[in-house]
Coordinates of all heavy atoms in Angstrom, one line a residue:
P121 N -44.3 -29.1 -4.5 CA -44.7 -28.4 -5.7 C -44.2 -29.2 -6.9 O -43.2 -29.9 -6.9 CB -43.9 -27.1 -5.7 CG -43.5 -26.9 -4.2 CD -43.5 -28.3 -3.6
T122 N -44.9 -29.2 -8.0 CA -44.6 -29.9 -9.2 C -43.9 -29.0 -10.2 O -43.5 -29.5 -11.3 CB -45.9 -30.5 -9.8 OG1 -46.8 -29.4 -10.1 CG2 -46.5 -31.5 -8.9
K123 N -43.8 -27.7 -10.0 CA -43.2 -26.8 -10.9 C -42.5 -25.7 -10.2 O -42.7 -25.4 -9.1 CB -44.2 -26.3 -12.0 CG -45.3 -25.4 -11.3 CD -46.2 -24.9 -12.4 CE -47.3 -24.1 -11.8 NZ -48.2 -23.5 -12.8
F124 N -41.6 -25.0 -10.9 CA -40.9 -23.8 -10.5 C -41.8 -22.6 -10.8 O -42.3 -22.5 -11.9 CB -39.5 -23.7 -11.2 CG -38.6 -24.7 -10.8 CD1 -38.4 -25.9 -11.6 CD2 -37.7 -24.6 -9.7 CE1 -37.5 -26.8 -11.3 CE2 -36.8 -25.6 -9.4 CZ -36.7 -26.7 -10.2
E125 N -42.0 -21.7 -9.8 CA -42.8 -20.6 -10.0 C -42.5 -19.5 -9.1 O -42.2 -19.7 -7.9 CB -44.3 -21.1 -9.8 CG -45.3 -20.0 -10.0 CD -46.7 -20.5 -9.8 OE1 -46.9 -21.4 -9.0 OE2 -47.6 -20.0 -10.4
V126 N -42.6 -18.2 -9.6 CA -42.5 -17.1 -8.7 C -43.8 -16.3 -8.9 O -44.3 -16.1 -10.0 CB -41.2 -16.2 -9.1 CG1 -41.3 -15.7 -10.5 CG2 -41.1 -15.1 -8.1
E127 N -44.4 -15.9 -7.8 CA -45.7 -15.2 -7.8 C -45.5 -13.7 -7.7 O -44.5 -13.2 -7.3 CB -46.5 -15.7 -6.6 CG -46.8 -17.2 -6.7 CD -47.6 -17.7 -5.4 OE1 -48.1 -16.8 -4.7 OE2 -47.6 -18.9 -5.2
Q128 N -46.6 -13.0 -8.1 CA -46.6 -11.5 -8.0 C -46.5 -11.2 -6.5 O -47.2 -11.8 -5.7 CB -47.8 -11.0 -8.6 CG -47.8 -9.5 -8.7 CD -46.7 -8.9 -9.5 OE1 -46.5 -9.3 -10.7 NE2 -46.0 -7.9 -9.0
N129 N -45.7 -10.2 -6.2 CA -45.7 -9.8 -4.8 C -47.0 -9.2 -4.3 O -47.8 -8.8 -5.1 CB -44.6 -8.7 -4.6 CG -44.8 -7.4 -5.4 OD1 -45.0 -7.5 -6.6 ND2 -44.9 -6.3 -4.7
Y130 N -47.2 -9.2 -3.0 CA -48.4 -8.7 -2.4 C -48.1 -8.0 -1.1 O -47.4 -8.6 -0.3 CB -49.4 -9.8 -2.2 CG -50.7 -9.3 -1.6 CD1 -51.7 -8.7 -2.5 CD2 -51.0 -9.3 -0.3 CE1 -52.9 -8.2 -2.0 CE2 -52.2 -8.8 0.2 CZ -53.1 -8.2 -0.6 OH -54.3 -7.7 -0.2
P131 N -48.6 -6.8 -0.9 CA -49.3 -6.0 -1.8 C -48.5 -5.3 -2.8 O -47.2 -5.2 -2.7 CB -49.9 -4.9 -0.8 CG -48.9 -4.8 0.3 CD -48.4 -6.2 0.4
N132 N -49.1 -4.9 -3.9 CA -48.4 -4.2 -5.0 C -49.3 -3.1 -5.6 O -50.3 -3.6 -6.1 CB -47.9 -5.2 -6.0 CG -47.0 -4.5 -7.1 OD1 -46.2 -3.7 -6.7 ND2 -47.1 -5.0 -8.3
P133 N -49.0 -1.9 -5.5 CA -47.9 -1.2 -4.9 C -47.8 -1.4 -3.4 O -48.7 -1.7 -2.8 CB -48.0 0.3 -5.3 CG -49.4 0.4 -6.0 CD -50.0 -0.9 -6.1
F134 N -46.6 -1.1 -2.9 CA -46.3 -1.3 -1.5 C -45.5 -0.2 -0.8 O -44.9 0.6 -1.5 CB -45.6 -2.7 -1.2 CG -44.2 -2.7 -1.7 CD1 -43.1 -2.5 -0.9 CD2 -43.9 -2.9 -3.1 CE1 -41.8 -2.5 -1.3 CE2 -42.6 -2.9 -3.5 CZ -41.5 -2.7 -2.7
N135 N -45.6 -0.1 0.5 CA -44.8 0.8 1.3 C -44.9 0.4 2.7 O -46.0 0.4 3.3 CB -45.3 2.3 1.1 CG -44.5 3.2 2.0 OD1 -43.4 3.0 2.3 ND2 -45.2 4.4 2.3
P136 N -43.9 0.1 3.4 CA -42.5 -0.1 2.9 C -42.1 -1.5 2.7 O -41.0 -1.8 2.4 CB -41.7 0.5 4.1 CG -42.5 0.0 5.3 CD -43.9 0.1 4.9
S137 N -43.1 -2.5 2.9 CA -42.7 -3.9 2.8 C -43.8 -4.7 2.0 O -44.9 -4.3 1.9 CB -42.5 -4.6 4.1 OG -43.7 -4.6 4.9
T138 N -43.3 -5.8 1.4 CA -44.2 -6.6 0.6 C -43.7 -8.1 0.7 O -42.6 -8.3 1.3 CB -44.2 -6.2 -0.9 OG1 -45.1 -6.9 -1.6 CG2 -42.8 -6.4 -1.5
K139 N -44.5 -9.0 0.3 CA -44.2 -10.4 0.4 C -44.1 -11.0 -1.0 O -44.9 -10.8 -1.8 CB -45.3 -11.1 1.2 CG -45.0 -12.6 1.5 CD -46.1 -13.1 2.4 CE -46.1 -12.5 3.7 NZ -45.4 -13.2 4.8
I140 N -43.1 -11.9 -1.2 CA -42.9 -12.6 -2.5 C -42.9 -14.1 -2.2 O -42.1 -14.5 -1.3 CB -41.5 -12.2 -3.1 CG1 -41.5 -10.7 -3.4 CG2 -41.3 -13.0 -4.4 CD1 -40.1 -10.2 -3.9
N141 N -43.8 -14.8 -2.8 CA -43.9 -16.2 -2.7 C -43.3 -16.9 -3.9 O -43.5 -16.4 -5.0 CB -45.4 -16.7 -2.5 CG -46.0 -16.1 -1.3 OD1 -45.4 -16.1 -0.2 ND2 -47.2 -15.6 -1.4
Y142 N -42.7 -18.1 -3.7 CA -42.2 -18.8 -4.8 C -42.1 -20.3 -4.5 O -42.2 -20.7 -3.3 CB -40.8 -18.3 -5.3 CG -39.7 -18.5 -4.3 CD1 -38.9 -19.6 -4.2 CD2 -39.5 -17.5 -3.3 CE1 -37.8 -19.7 -3.3 CE2 -38.5 -17.6 -2.4 CZ -37.7 -18.7 -2.4 OH -36.6 -18.8 -1.4
S143 N -42.1 -21.1 -5.5 CA -42.1 -22.6 -5.4 C -40.9 -23.2 -6.2 O -40.7 -22.7 -7.3 CB -43.4 -23.2 -5.8 OG -44.5 -22.7 -5.2
I144 N -40.3 -24.2 -5.6 CA -39.2 -24.9 -6.4 C -39.5 -26.4 -6.4 O -39.9 -26.9 -5.3 CB -37.8 -24.6 -5.9 CG1 -37.6 -24.9 -4.5 CG2 -37.5 -23.1 -6.2 CD1 -36.2 -24.7 -4.0
A145 N -39.4 -27.0 -7.5 CA -39.8 -28.4 -7.7 C -38.6 -29.4 -7.4 O -38.8 -30.5 -7.0 CB -40.3 -28.7 -9.1
K146 N -37.4 -28.9 -7.5 CA -36.2 -29.7 -7.2 C -35.2 -28.9 -6.4 O -35.1 -27.7 -6.6 CB -35.5 -30.2 -8.5 CG -36.4 -31.1 -9.4 CD -35.6 -31.6 -10.6 CE -36.5 -32.5 -11.4 NZ -35.9 -32.9 -12.7
A147 N -34.4 -29.6 -5.6 CA -33.4 -28.9 -4.8 C -32.4 -28.2 -5.7 O -32.1 -28.7 -6.8 CB -32.7 -29.9 -3.9
G148 N -31.9 -27.1 -5.2 CA -30.9 -26.4 -6.0 C -30.5 -25.1 -5.3 O -31.0 -24.8 -4.3
F149 N -29.5 -24.4 -6.0 CA -29.1 -23.1 -5.5 C -30.0 -22.0 -6.0 O -30.2 -21.8 -7.2 CB -27.6 -22.8 -5.9 CG -27.1 -21.6 -5.2 CD1 -26.6 -21.7 -3.9 CD2 -27.0 -20.4 -5.8 CE1 -26.1 -20.6 -3.2 CE2 -26.5 -19.3 -5.2 CZ -26.1 -19.4 -3.9
V150 N -30.7 -21.4 -5.0 CA -31.7 -20.4 -5.3 C -31.2 -19.0 -5.1 O -30.6 -18.7 -4.0 CB -33.0 -20.7 -4.5 CG1 -34.1 -19.6 -4.7 CG2 -33.5 -22.1 -4.7
T151 N -31.5 -18.1 -6.0 CA -31.3 -16.7 -5.8 C -32.5 -15.9 -6.2 O -33.2 -16.2 -7.2 CB -30.1 -16.1 -6.7 OG1 -30.4 -16.3 -8.1 CG2 -28.8 -16.8 -6.3
L152 N -32.8 -14.9 -5.3 CA -33.9 -14.0 -5.6 C -33.4 -12.6 -5.4 O -33.0 -12.3 -4.3 CB -35.1 -14.3 -4.6 CG -36.3 -13.4 -4.7 CD1 -36.9 -13.5 -6.1 CD2 -37.4 -13.8 -3.7
K153 N -33.3 -11.9 -6.5 CA -32.7 -10.6 -6.4 C -33.6 -9.5 -6.9 O -34.5 -9.8 -7.7 CB -31.4 -10.5 -7.3 CG -30.3 -11.5 -6.8 CD -29.1 -11.4 -7.7 CE -28.0 -12.3 -7.3 NZ -26.8 -12.2 -8.1
V154 N -33.4 -8.3 -6.4 CA -34.2 -7.1 -6.8 C -33.3 -6.2 -7.5 O -32.2 -5.9 -7.1 CB -34.8 -6.5 -5.5 CG1 -35.6 -5.2 -5.9 CG2 -35.7 -7.4 -4.8
Y155 N -33.8 -5.7 -8.7 CA -33.1 -4.7 -9.5 C -33.9 -3.4 -9.7 O -35.1 -3.5 -9.7 CB -32.8 -5.3 -10.9 CG -32.0 -6.6 -10.8 CD1 -32.7 -7.8 -10.7 CD2 -30.6 -6.6 -10.9 CE1 -31.9 -9.0 -10.7 CE2 -29.9 -7.8 -10.9 CZ -30.6 -9.0 -10.8 OH -29.8 -10.2 -10.7
N156 N -33.2 -2.3 -9.9 CA -33.8 -1.1 -10.3 C -34.1 -1.1 -11.8 O -33.7 -2.0 -12.5 CB -33.1 0.2 -9.8 CG -31.7 0.3 -10.4 OD1 -31.4 -0.2 -11.5 ND2 -30.9 1.1 -9.8
M157 N -34.7 -0.1 -12.3 CA -35.0 -0.1 -13.7 C -33.8 0.1 -14.6 O -33.9 0.0 -15.8 CB -36.1 1.0 -14.0 CG -37.4 0.7 -13.4 SD -38.1 -0.9 -13.9 CE -38.5 -0.6 -15.6
L158 N -32.7 0.5 -14.1 CA -31.4 0.6 -14.8 C -30.7 -0.8 -14.9 O -29.7 -0.9 -15.5 CB -30.5 1.6 -14.2 CG -31.1 3.0 -14.2 CD1 -30.1 3.9 -13.4 CD2 -31.3 3.5 -15.6
G159 N -31.3 -1.8 -14.2 CA -30.7 -3.1 -14.2 C -29.6 -3.3 -13.1 O -28.9 -4.3 -13.1
Q160 N -29.5 -2.3 -12.2 CA -28.6 -2.4 -11.2 C -29.2 -3.2 -10.0 O -30.3 -3.0 -9.7 CB -28.2 -1.0 -10.7 CG -27.5 -0.2 -11.8 CD -27.5 1.3 -11.4 OE1 -28.4 1.8 -10.8 NE2 -26.4 2.0 -11.8
E161 N -28.4 -4.1 -9.4 CA -28.8 -4.9 -8.3 C -29.1 -4.0 -7.1 O -28.2 -3.3 -6.6 CB -27.8 -5.9 -8.0 CG -28.2 -6.9 -6.9 CD -27.2 -8.0 -6.7 OE1 -26.9 -8.8 -7.6 OE2 -26.6 -8.0 -5.6
A162 N -30.3 -4.0 -6.6 CA -30.7 -3.2 -5.4 C -30.5 -4.0 -4.1 O -30.1 -3.5 -3.1 CB -32.1 -2.8 -5.5
T163 N -30.8 -5.3 -4.1 CA -30.7 -6.2 -3.0 C -30.8 -7.6 -3.4 O -31.4 -8.0 -4.4 CB -31.7 -5.8 -1.9 OG1 -31.4 -6.5 -0.7 CG2 -33.1 -6.2 -2.3
V164 N -30.2 -8.5 -2.5 CA -30.4 -9.9 -2.7 C -31.2 -10.5 -1.5 O -30.9 -10.3 -0.4 CB -29.0 -10.6 -2.6 CG1 -29.1 -12.1 -2.8 CG2 -28.1 -10.1 -3.8
L165 N -32.3 -11.1 -1.9 CA -33.3 -11.6 -0.8 C -33.0 -13.0 -0.4 O -33.1 -13.4 0.7 CB -34.7 -11.4 -1.3 CG -35.2 -10.0 -1.6 CD1 -36.6 -10.0 -2.2 CD2 -35.1 -9.2 -0.4
V166 N -32.5 -13.8 -1.4 CA -32.2 -15.2 -1.2 C -31.0 -15.6 -2.0 O -30.9 -15.2 -3.1 CB -33.4 -16.2 -1.6 CG1 -33.0 -17.6 -1.4 CG2 -34.7 -15.8 -0.9
S167 N -30.1 -16.3 -1.4 CA -28.9 -16.8 -2.1 C -28.4 -18.0 -1.3 O -27.4 -17.9 -0.5 CB -27.8 -15.7 -2.1 OG -26.7 -16.2 -2.8
K168 N -29.0 -19.2 -1.5 CA -28.7 -20.4 -0.8 C -29.3 -21.6 -1.4 O -30.2 -21.5 -2.2 CB -29.1 -20.3 0.7 CG -30.6 -20.1 0.9 CD -30.9 -20.0 2.3 CE -32.4 -19.8 2.5 NZ -32.7 -19.5 3.9
N169 N -28.8 -22.8 -1.0 CA -29.4 -24.0 -1.4 C -30.7 -24.2 -0.7 O -30.8 -24.0 0.5 CB -28.4 -25.2 -1.1 CG -27.3 -25.3 -2.1 OD1 -27.5 -25.3 -3.3 ND2 -26.1 -25.3 -1.5
Q170 N -31.7 -24.7 -1.5 CA -33.0 -24.9 -0.9 C -33.6 -26.2 -1.4 O -33.3 -26.6 -2.5 CB -34.0 -23.8 -1.1 CG -33.6 -22.5 -0.4 CD -34.7 -21.4 -0.6 OE1 -35.2 -21.2 -1.7 NE2 -35.0 -20.8 0.5
N171 N -34.3 -26.9 -0.6 CA -35.0 -28.1 -0.9 C -36.3 -27.8 -1.6 O -36.8 -26.7 -1.5 CB -35.3 -29.0 0.3 CG -34.0 -29.5 0.9 OD1 -33.1 -30.0 0.2 ND2 -33.9 -29.5 2.2
P172 N -36.9 -28.8 -2.3 CA -38.2 -28.5 -3.0 C -39.2 -28.0 -1.9 O -39.2 -28.5 -0.8 CB -38.6 -29.9 -3.5 CG -37.3 -30.7 -3.6 CD -36.4 -30.2 -2.5
G173 N -40.0 -27.1 -2.4 CA -41.1 -26.6 -1.4 C -41.5 -25.2 -1.9 O -41.2 -24.7 -2.9
R174 N -42.4 -24.7 -1.0 CA -43.0 -23.4 -1.2 C -42.3 -22.5 -0.2 O -42.3 -22.8 1.0 CB -44.5 -23.5 -1.0 CG -45.2 -22.4 -1.6 CD -46.7 -22.8 -1.6 NE -47.5 -21.5 -1.5 CZ -47.6 -20.6 -2.4 NH1 -47.0 -20.8 -3.5 NH2 -48.3 -19.5 -2.2
Y175 N -41.9 -21.3 -0.6 CA -41.2 -20.3 0.2 C -41.9 -18.9 0.1 O -42.5 -18.6 -0.9 CB -39.8 -20.2 -0.2 CG -39.0 -21.5 0.0 CD1 -39.0 -22.5 -1.0 CD2 -38.4 -21.8 1.2 CE1 -38.3 -23.7 -0.8 CE2 -37.7 -23.0 1.4 CZ -37.7 -24.0 0.4 OH -37.0 -25.1 0.6
S176 N -41.6 -18.1 1.2 CA -42.1 -16.8 1.2 C -41.0 -15.9 1.8 O -40.4 -16.3 2.8 CB -43.4 -16.7 2.1 OG -43.9 -15.4 2.2
V177 N -40.8 -14.7 1.2 CA -39.8 -13.8 1.6 C -40.4 -12.4 1.8 O -41.2 -12.0 1.0 CB -38.7 -13.7 0.5 CG1 -37.7 -12.6 0.9 CG2 -38.0 -15.0 0.3
D178 N -40.1 -11.8 2.9 CA -40.6 -10.4 3.2 C -39.5 -9.5 2.7 O -38.3 -9.6 3.0 CB -40.8 -10.2 4.7 CG -42.0 -10.9 5.2 OD1 -43.1 -11.0 4.4 OD2 -42.0 -11.5 6.3
F179 N -39.9 -8.5 1.9 CA -39.0 -7.5 1.3 C -39.3 -6.2 1.9 O -40.4 -5.6 1.8 CB -39.1 -7.5 -0.2 CG -38.3 -6.4 -0.9 CD1 -37.0 -6.1 -0.5 CD2 -38.9 -5.6 -1.9 CE1 -36.3 -5.1 -1.1 CE2 -38.2 -4.6 -2.5 CZ -36.9 -4.4 -2.1
K180 N -38.3 -5.6 2.7 CA -38.5 -4.3 3.3 C -37.6 -3.3 2.5 O -36.4 -3.5 2.4 CB -38.0 -4.4 4.8 CG -39.0 -5.2 5.6 CD -38.5 -5.3 7.0 CE -39.4 -6.1 7.9 NZ -40.0 -7.2 7.5
A181 N -38.3 -2.3 2.0 CA -37.6 -1.4 1.1 C -37.4 0.0 1.7 O -37.5 1.0 1.0 CB -38.4 -1.3 -0.2
D182 N -37.1 0.0 3.0 CA -36.9 1.3 3.7 C -35.9 2.1 3.1 O -36.0 3.4 3.1 CB -36.6 1.0 5.2 CG -37.8 0.4 5.9 OD1 -38.9 0.6 5.6 OD2 -37.5 -0.4 6.8
N183 N -34.8 1.5 2.6 CA -33.6 2.3 2.1 C -33.7 2.6 0.6 O -32.7 3.1 0.0 CB -32.3 1.5 2.4 CG -32.3 0.1 1.8 OD1 -33.4 -0.4 1.5 ND2 -31.1 -0.4 1.6
L184 N -34.8 2.2 -0.1 CA -34.9 2.4 -1.5 C -35.9 3.6 -1.8 O -36.8 3.9 -1.1 CB -35.4 1.2 -2.2 CG -34.5 0.0 -2.1 CD1 -35.2 -1.2 -2.8 CD2 -33.2 0.2 -2.8
A185 N -35.6 4.2 -3.0 CA -36.5 5.3 -3.4 C -37.8 4.8 -4.1 O -37.8 3.6 -4.5 CB -35.7 6.2 -4.4
S186 N -38.8 5.6 -4.1 CA -40.0 5.2 -4.8 C -39.7 4.9 -6.3 O -38.8 5.5 -6.9 CB -41.0 6.4 -4.8 OG -41.5 6.6 -3.5
G187 N -40.4 4.0 -6.8 CA -40.2 3.6 -8.2 C -40.6 2.2 -8.5 O -41.1 1.4 -7.7
V188 N -40.3 1.8 -9.7 CA -40.6 0.4 -10.2 C -39.3 -0.4 -10.1 O -38.3 0.0 -10.5 CB -41.1 0.4 -11.6 CG1 -41.4 -1.0 -12.1 CG2 -42.4 1.2 -11.7
Y189 N -39.5 -1.6 -9.5 CA -38.3 -2.5 -9.3 C -38.7 -3.9 -10.0 O -39.9 -4.2 -10.1 CB -38.0 -2.7 -7.8 CG -37.4 -1.5 -7.2 CD1 -38.3 -0.5 -6.7 CD2 -36.1 -1.2 -7.2 CE1 -37.7 0.7 -6.2 CE2 -35.5 -0.1 -6.6 CZ -36.4 0.9 -6.2 OH -35.9 2.0 -5.6
I190 N -37.7 -4.6 -10.3 CA -37.8 -5.9 -10.9 C -37.2 -6.9 -10.0 O -36.2 -6.7 -9.4 CB -37.0 -6.0 -12.3 CG1 -37.6 -4.9 -13.2 CG2 -37.1 -7.4 -12.9 CD1 -36.7 -4.6 -14.4
Y191 N -37.9 -8.1 -9.8 CA -37.3 -9.2 -9.0 C -37.3 -10.4 -9.9 O -38.1 -10.7 -10.7 CB -38.0 -9.4 -7.7 CG -39.5 -9.7 -7.7 CD1 -39.9 -11.0 -7.7 CD2 -40.4 -8.7 -7.8 CE1 -41.3 -11.4 -7.6 CE2 -41.8 -9.0 -7.8 CZ -42.2 -10.3 -7.7 OH -43.5 -10.7 -7.7
R192 N -36.2 -11.2 -9.7 CA -35.9 -12.3 -10.6 C -35.5 -13.5 -9.7 O -34.7 -13.4 -8.8 CB -34.8 -12.0 -11.5 CG -34.5 -13.2 -12.5 CD -33.4 -12.9 -13.5 NE -32.2 -12.7 -12.8 CZ -31.1 -12.2 -13.4 NH1 -31.2 -11.8 -14.7 NH2 -30.0 -12.0 -12.8
L193 N -36.2 -14.6 -9.9 CA -35.9 -15.9 -9.2 C -35.1 -16.8 -10.2 O -35.5 -17.0 -11.3 CB -37.2 -16.6 -8.9 CG -37.0 -18.0 -8.2 CD1 -36.4 -17.8 -6.8 CD2 -38.4 -18.7 -8.1
Q194 N -34.0 -17.3 -9.7 CA -33.1 -18.2 -10.4 C -32.9 -19.5 -9.6 O -32.7 -19.3 -8.4 CB -31.8 -17.6 -10.8 CG -31.9 -16.5 -11.9 CD -30.5 -16.0 -12.3 OE1 -29.7 -15.6 -11.5 NE2 -30.2 -16.1 -13.6
V195 N -32.9 -20.6 -10.2 CA -32.5 -21.9 -9.6 C -31.4 -22.5 -10.4 O -31.6 -22.7 -11.6 CB -33.7 -22.8 -9.4 CG1 -33.2 -24.1 -8.8 CG2 -34.8 -22.2 -8.6
N196 N -30.2 -22.7 -9.8 CA -29.1 -23.3 -10.5 C -28.8 -22.5 -11.8 O -28.5 -23.0 -12.9 CB -29.3 -24.8 -10.9 CG -29.4 -25.6 -9.6 OD1 -28.8 -25.3 -8.6 ND2 -30.2 -26.6 -9.7
N197 N -28.8 -21.1 -11.6 CA -28.5 -20.2 -12.7 C -29.4 -20.2 -13.9 O -29.2 -19.6 -14.9 CB -27.0 -20.4 -13.2 CG -26.0 -20.0 -12.2 OD1 -26.2 -19.0 -11.5 ND2 -24.9 -20.7 -12.1
K198 N -30.6 -20.8 -13.7 CA -31.6 -20.8 -14.7 C -32.8 -19.9 -14.2 O -33.3 -20.1 -13.1 CB -32.2 -22.2 -15.0 CG -33.3 -22.2 -16.0 CD -33.8 -23.6 -16.2 CE -35.0 -23.5 -17.2 NZ -35.8 -24.7 -17.2
T199 N -33.1 -18.9 -15.0 CA -34.2 -17.9 -14.6 C -35.5 -18.6 -14.6 O -36.0 -19.2 -15.7 CB -34.2 -16.7 -15.5 OG1 -32.9 -16.0 -15.4 CG2 -35.3 -15.7 -15.1
I200 N -36.2 -18.6 -13.5 CA -37.5 -19.2 -13.4 C -38.6 -18.2 -13.7 O -39.6 -18.5 -14.3 CB -37.7 -19.7 -11.9 CG1 -36.6 -20.7 -11.6 CG2 -39.1 -20.3 -11.7 CD1 -36.5 -21.9 -12.5
G201 N -38.4 -16.9 -13.2 CA -39.4 -15.9 -13.5 C -38.9 -14.5 -13.1 O -38.1 -14.4 -12.2
T202 N -39.5 -13.5 -13.7 CA -39.2 -12.1 -13.5 C -40.5 -11.4 -13.4 O -41.4 -11.5 -14.2 CB -38.3 -11.6 -14.6 OG1 -37.1 -12.4 -14.7 CG2 -37.9 -10.1 -14.3
K203 N -40.6 -10.5 -12.4 CA -41.8 -9.7 -12.2 C -41.4 -8.3 -11.8 O -40.3 -8.1 -11.3 CB -42.7 -10.3 -11.1 CG -43.1 -11.8 -11.4 CD -44.6 -11.9 -11.4 CE -44.9 -13.4 -11.6 NZ -45.7 -13.7 -12.7
T204 N -42.4 -7.4 -11.9 CA -42.1 -6.0 -11.5 C -43.0 -5.7 -10.3 O -44.0 -6.3 -10.1 CB -42.4 -5.0 -12.6 OG1 -43.8 -5.1 -13.0 CG2 -41.6 -5.2 -13.8
M205 N -42.5 -4.7 -9.5 CA -43.3 -4.3 -8.3 C -43.1 -2.8 -8.2 O -42.0 -2.2 -8.7 CB -42.9 -5.0 -7.1 CG -41.4 -4.9 -6.7 SD -41.1 -5.9 -5.3 CE -39.3 -6.0 -5.4
T206 N -44.0 -2.1 -7.5 CA -43.9 -0.6 -7.4 C -43.9 -0.2 -6.0 O -44.7 -0.6 -5.2 CB -45.2 0.0 -8.1 OG1 -45.2 -0.4 -9.4 CG2 -45.1 1.5 -8.0
L207 N -42.9 0.5 -5.6 CA -42.7 1.1 -4.3 C -43.2 2.5 -4.3 O -42.7 3.3 -5.1 CB -41.2 1.0 -3.9 CG -40.8 1.7 -2.6 CD1 -41.5 1.2 -1.4 CD2 -39.3 1.6 -2.4
L208 N -44.2 2.8 -3.4 CA -44.7 4.2 -3.3 C -44.4 4.7 -1.9 O -44.9 4.1 -0.9 CB -46.2 4.2 -3.6 CG -46.6 3.9 -5.0 CD1 -48.1 3.9 -5.1 CD2 -46.1 4.9 -6.0
K209 N -43.7 5.8 -1.8 CA -43.4 6.3 -0.5 C -44.1 7.6 -0.3 O -44.4 8.3 -1.2 CB -41.9 6.5 -0.3 CG -41.2 5.2 -0.1 CD -39.8 5.4 0.4 CE -39.2 4.1 0.7 NZ -37.8 4.2 1.2

């Protein structure tokens, strides 16, 4: 990949799981976190060093309530992108 990017999850809305794809152009410490609408961290999907490439993460929200959630991708503490997703149970 030539750029850092986080894509919209698919499917959206979802129940109970969805897929989030992202790309990183340079190696670094990657975090992908999900937050509720109050800004509280709901879960951490990725928290590790990764090499450049394209990645995919499955998010299973069995333990979360229906609603809108925000996910944010950061590389080396720099926010790459933020998107919203809707969980319908």
